[in-house]
Amino acid sequence: MNIDTADIKAIEEIVATVERTQRAKDAEGFLALFHPDALWTTAHGKVLIGFDAIAEFTRTVLPAASWDGEVTYEAIHIEFLRPDVAAVKIRQIYHATEGDSEGSPLYVMTKQADGTWLLHAGQNTEVRV
């Protein structure tokens, strides 16, 4: 499969935007990254099906989230399932004064007709040591 490096950069930018919007507690910026038919499972197992459910949860939880450090997101592996579908493994670290914690999200992203990439499915898993 011939993958355009512009697609890799676009996917990495989505991940960077997830990081920026999470740090800023910017629910609307985060929600702009989702496909209308997305499904999302939080690190604590809450299943959200469709944009409306994701939006309701995000608008409630993200602005009220409290952490005393920073969060970082890094795309550590991108696997193109088709030229317009990518599975993206993320390393998510919450840096806090009492110690770091880690999440291990998997995002499925789809390329839209206009060339943009959107989050279509996500499963976050808390990493326990």
Side-chain angles (χ1 to χ4, degrees), residues 88-128:
V88 184
K89 195 62 189 161
I90 307 296
R91 183 167 189 238
Q92 171 193 57
I93 308 288
Y94 286 99
H95 304 278
T97 54
E98 67 275 358
D100 293 351
S101 61
E102 187 172 345
S104 182
L106 174 65
Y107 299 160
V108 176
M109 295 186 191
T110 54
K111 188 175 184 178
Q112 307 310 295
D114 66 0
T116 60
W117 286 86
L118 294 175
L119 296 168
H120 209 120
Q123 168 73 50
N124 195 354
T125 303
E126 181 181 359
V127 175
R128 294 188 180 183

Side-chain angles (χ1 to χ4, degrees), residues 37-93:
D37 296 326
L39 66 99
W40 197 253
T41 303
T42 70
H44 301 289
K46 183 162 184 67
V47 177
L48 306 166
I49 298 174
F51 182 82
D52 290 344
I54 295 166
E56 180 181 354
F57 177 83
T58 300
R59 289 176 179 138
T60 301
V61 173
L62 186 57
S66 63
W67 55 78
D68 60 355
E70 291 187 338
V71 61
T72 58
Y73 290 75
E74 177 187 7
I76 58 172
H77 183 77
I78 300 171
E79 183 74 30
F80 286 90
L81 308 176
R82 298 186 335 204
D84 62 339
V85 179
V88 184
K89 195 62 189 161
I90 307 296
R91 183 167 189 238
Q92 171 193 57
I93 308 288

Side-chain angles (χ1 to χ4, degrees), residues 1-5 7-8 80 82-83:
M1 182 179 335
N2 189 11
I3 301 303
D4 186 347
T5 56
D7 286 327
I8 293 170
F80 286 90
R82 298 186 335 204

